[in-house]
Amino acid sequence: MYPHLQYFSIFAVNVLFFLSCAIAYPKNNLVNSNTQAQNNHAQQPQNNQQSEIKRLNAEAIAASQQGRFTAALQRLQKALVISKELANSSWEAVTLNNLGRVYQNQGDYSQALSFFFTALRINKELSVKETTPGQAYTDLGKTYSNIGYLFDIQNKPELAVFFYKHCLINREKVRLNPSVFSAPQPDAYSITVAQTYRFLGEGLLKQGRVAEAQRTIDLLKVEELEEYLHNVPGNQRTAKGINILPIEKPIKQQLDQTLDNAVVLGKELTKLRNIPPQKRSPQQNQRINQLVGNQQQLLEAFNKFITSPAVTAQIDQISRTARRQNLDLENINEIRDNLARLPQKSVLLYPLVLKDRLELVLVTPDSPPIHRPVAVTREQLNQTIVTFREALTNPSRNIKKPASQLYAWLIKPIENDLQQVKTQTLIYAPDDQLRYVPLAALYDGKQWLVERFNVNHITATSLTNLNSPRTSTLRVLAGAFTRGNFEVALGNRQVDFSGLPFAGREVESLAAIIPQTKKLLNDDFSPQATVPQMDDYPIVHLATHAAFVVGKPEDSFILFGNGDRVNLTDIGTWSLPRVDLVVLSACETGLGGKLGNGEEILGFGYQIQKTGARAAIASLWAVDDGGTQALMNAFYTTLSSGKFTKAEALRQAQIALINGDSQAKNQDTSAAVGSNLTHPYYWGSFILIGNGL
């Protein structure tokens, strides 16, 4: 079954000999025995020397980006000498990675691979010393990413995927100890970790490895949360990383064995280099010279091996065979089991936005994962999203054209699949600017999507408990900001937020529907008075301004009735394990018309989950407060019947406004907004994030 592995094993012996003997520095003899230079550096205090290594690496990177490769290599040569004198293996690996990047920028891919692989050996040795996966595992994963990217830009996707997966595996081990990620990260890597995950997902989809792609896309969202919020902990589900398929394991075992043996055998070279040159014996100097003399030949042999037709054929066989392996992946079986246990026929939809196309991944309870590529560029998609949002926020505009176009890209390609499963609920994990799009407001030419499906947004399946039931008793803590005016700094500008006249009526209507409602208004609706009471109620309803803005988590906030703000970071400190639902009925995104990649929406959903609350309802733009009252009346009336899940209750409320159901409105609401609430401006803004039951 593995016809080329014998070749792999025979050649690995030669590679092991090379790794046990030397760390080679080809062509330019970047490492030398310049005793005078070494002695000069030895006079410097250690902290000054480390600062010098850091400075030289930074200057080299800048020089390489400007095309001054000779200058970059000269600085890295100096940094490498100093790091070896200090026996600072971490900075040695950083410098080696940067040497690889310089050669990569020059188009000398063979030399780049040599340096990356040597850095990999050092990072592997450092990771062995860690009792708990930490910085060395992080650096090991990133060096795997450098190798993957090197093969990616050479149009060798199978090898790129193989090494990218190892980046993900090591990264997810560290995520259980996320404080490691907050340590200063040297610039030594070709792409970011999030880009690695995205490129891996893209590569897997191109090879038809849909289950692995779904897993990668899911973990991409966790990584995006980490980059936005920081210190986002993983769990036992994320720590599993991504499966190595049975057909991949022989190659992985050979790679791991090569590195493990290199860690053991490489200690000889380390010991020799730790001996001051003036104290080395002739035999020791001869041994070092022998290692340096053999390095070029061995490195060239390794480069030829990893790119040989034999290994390429084996990797290609993995690509062809992996589709059948997907059915056995533990992650997909777990997701399918969770979907099957939901009360409605539910599917999981993952879009992945790429530069030249959109990829749709659909997971159903009883079929293999489905993959549908869509021919639309990121630029075209984002332009349509902007047009869609502009029409959504102006009821006088015709919304159906952009809504139909987005439907054609997001739903039409999987329409037959949804019909075959008899789908009732779409569990949706949007990507990039699609996070600003309410899926419910897409239009199929005859009706809105919400008229056909429940829509349940999530952050990531690996972070969401889809099956946790809600409490049977409805009690609500309701706060409202109804009067006054507060000026809030948003970036470099000031924005006025006025009281919401209908917020008080909204809360009064809520109390009429659910008698066990406690009301907090204006000054009484302060963080000090409100937050300590939240966990005493299954539902927390906040009728006040909230803004999710592009930037740092501290820029997004909830405004309380006394003028105090709680930002997105602070929300994560709340403890709400007994809360089933948090409702923000007057929040908005994209203030000032600026859209990012939606990380602030992803971050809000995660922070609510982090509190222990099961779900949140929020709006994607500032809705007419009379229309909001109408929607909330219908939502709570439906929910209080006890016959519907949260996702179903929201859908029924939205349909009530579309159909002009008078029960969704009262006299005050009708007078304020007229009798027509059918435009998605009034009902499409609200999305449910988290557990939809």
Side-chain angles (χ1 to χ4, degrees), residues 331-360:
N331 171 64
I332 285 295
N333 288 337
E334 180 181 350
I335 293 174
R336 288 166 59 180
D337 179 66
N338 285 337
L339 291 174
R341 289 189 287 117
L342 292 172
Q344 304 89 22
K345 281 282 187 177
S346 301
V347 300
L348 178 63
L349 175 60
Y350 279 90
L352 179 67
V353 179
L354 302 172
K355 183 178 180 180
D356 61 342
R357 68 191 186 282
L358 174 68
E359 297 275 6
L360 301 178

Side-chain angles (χ1 to χ4, degrees), residues 290-340:
Q290 178 187 1
L291 298 177
V292 174
N294 291 336
Q295 65 183 25
Q296 184 64 46
Q297 178 184 354
L298 293 170
L299 279 170
E300 288 176 355
F302 176 76
N303 290 351
K304 289 179 182 178
F305 161 70
I306 199 67
T307 58
S308 67
V311 173
T312 302
Q314 181 63 35
I315 295 289
D316 185 56
Q317 183 182 352
I318 291 174
S319 176
R320 294 194 306 269
T321 310
R323 302 181 189 200
R324 295 195 297 273
Q325 304 288 341
N326 280 340
L327 296 179
D328 298 325
L329 289 179
E330 179 183 354
N331 171 64
I332 285 295
N333 288 337
E334 180 181 350
I335 293 174
R336 288 166 59 180
D337 179 66
N338 285 337
L339 291 174

Side-chain angles (χ1 to χ4, degrees), residues 6 11 15 35 39 43 57 72 105 107 111 120 123 144 287 335 338 358 404 424 469 538 578 597 600 604 660:
Q6 183 178 4
F11 198 92
V15 176
T35 306
N39 289 337
Q43 303 304 316
N57 270 271
N105 291 342
Q111 293 285 54
L120 192 69
N123 290 139
Y144 275 122
R287 179 61 171 158
I335 293 174
N338 285 337
L358 174 68
S404 298
Q424 296 171 285
R578 293 184 291 183
N597 67 356
E600 66 277 14
F604 166 72

Side-chain angles (χ1 to χ4, degrees), residues 16-62:
L16 288 174
F17 171 74
F18 146 64
L19 290 168
S20 67
C21 295
I23 300 176
Y25 304 94
K27 286 188 177 178
N28 294 292
N29 296 321
L30 296 176
V31 176
N32 55 60
S33 56
N34 187 327
T35 306
Q36 182 179 359
Q38 291 176 347
N39 289 337
N40 288 339
H41 286 303
Q43 303 304 316
Q44 301 179 35
Q46 183 168 329
N47 60 339
N48 289 343
Q49 289 177 300
Q50 290 181 351
S51 298
E52 179 75 353
I53 298 170
K54 183 176 181 180
R55 180 186 67 80
L56 288 168
N57 270 271
E59 290 179 357
I61 293 166

Side-chain angles (χ1 to χ4, degrees), residues 217-376:
I217 297 168
D218 190 71
L219 292 174
L220 165 63
K221 300 182 188 310
V222 184
E223 177 60 28
E224 288 179 320
L225 283 167
E226 168 60 35
E227 294 187 0
Y228 179 59
L229 294 171
H230 308 299
N231 290 320
V232 173
N235 54 42
Q236 293 307 312
R237 286 189 283 174
T238 60
K240 293 176 182 178
I242 187 168
N243 283 4
I244 296 297
L245 302 183
I247 194 172
E248 291 178 305
K249 287 182 178 178
I251 293 180
K252 176 171 172 53
Q253 288 167 358
Q254 291 288 355
L255 175 63
D256 289 346
Q257 189 64 53
T258 300
L259 290 173
D260 290 343
N261 289 339
V263 168
V264 175
L265 298 175
K267 291 180 180 179
E268 177 191 0
L269 184 61
T270 302
K271 289 180 180 179
L272 288 172
R273 290 192 167 174
N274 285 338
I275 300 172
Q278 64 273 20
K279 294 184 179 181
R280 292 175 189 161
S281 68
Q283 292 81 5
Q284 290 169 333
N285 283 324
Q286 183 180 4
R287 179 61 171 158
I288 290 175
N289 289 335
Q290 178 187 1
L291 298 177
V292 174
N294 291 336
Q295 65 183 25
Q296 184 64 46
Q297 178 184 354
L298 293 170
L299 279 170
E300 288 176 355
F302 176 76
N303 290 351
K304 289 179 182 178
F305 161 70
I306 199 67
T307 58
S308 67
V311 173
T312 302
Q314 181 63 35
I315 295 289
D316 185 56
Q317 183 182 352
I318 291 174
S319 176
R320 294 194 306 269
T321 310
R323 302 181 189 200
R324 295 195 297 273
Q325 304 288 341
N326 280 340
L327 296 179
D328 298 325
L329 289 179
E330 179 183 354
N331 171 64
I332 285 295
N333 288 337
E334 180 181 350
I335 293 174
R336 288 166 59 180
D337 179 66
N338 285 337
L339 291 174
R341 289 189 287 117
L342 292 172
Q344 304 89 22
K345 281 282 187 177
S346 301
V347 300
L348 178 63
L349 175 60
Y350 279 90
L352 179 67
V353 179
L354 302 172
K355 183 178 180 180
D356 61 342
R357 68 191 186 282
L358 174 68
E359 297 275 6
L360 301 178
V361 175
L362 186 70
V363 182
T364 73
D366 46 17
S367 68
I370 297 163
H371 162 224
R372 302 283 183 245
V374 181
V376 55

